[in-house]
Amino acid sequence: MIEGQCLCGAVYYRYHAEIEKTILCFCQHCRRAQGGIMGWNSPVAREHFEVVRGLKYLKEYFHSPNKARVFCQECGSPIYSYRLDLPDIIRLRLGTVTQGKVPEPCEQAFAQYKPNFLAIESCE
Ligand SMILES: [Zn+2]
Ligand SMILES: [Zn+2]
């Protein structure tokens, strides 16, 4: 099982399954949304994802019409995103995981934007 939370702790979740694959994304939207070099996320099944605490703090932001970015409106931590046309899958933001096994990334999206100083051995 996976557990995680936002920075302030208002939002706390459990994922009642294993994380199978993780993806680094270097696109501009992820960078801005995370305030970092990249996004690190995993597509997981919504049916196994449970917001245990703080559902009322979650806010959805649509930067593109089809994709909701869901974050804690108290502290701003991104928690997950999902696409309206793929409602059964959410993309969990793995920096929020506090318990459980998170596999090394197996995929890089928009790798052409990866900074030169960042060497990642585990995936192409
Ligand atoms: Zn928070
Ligand atoms: Zn991205």
Side-chain angles (χ1 to χ4, degrees), residues 3 13-14 42 46-48 50 53 63 65 73 81 90 92 95 98 102 109-110 115 124:
E3 296 179 334
Y13 65 80
R14 289 198 183 113
S42 176
R46 188 191 282 272
E47 61 174 331
H48 301 311
E50 176 195 8
R53 192 173 70 218
H63 185 69
Q73 55 186 321
S81 68
I90 64 171
L92 187 61
T98 57
V102 179
F110 297 91
E124 290 305 308

Side-chain angles (χ1 to χ4, degrees), residues 66-112:
N66 190 37
K67 183 173 177 180
R69 292 175 179 269
V70 184
F71 64 97
C72 172
Q73 55 186 321
E74 189 69 17
C75 68
S77 291
I79 308 294
Y80 63 90
S81 68
Y82 70 95
R83 282 169 47 171
L84 294 181
D85 60 344
L86 291 172
D88 299 338
I89 302 289
I90 64 171
R91 289 182 173 261
L92 187 61
R93 295 321 192 232
L94 297 171
T96 62
V97 171
T98 57
Q99 293 286 333
K101 187 173 179 335
V102 179
E104 288 182 4
C106 61
E107 198 178 314
Q108 297 182 45
F110 297 91
Q112 66 270 34

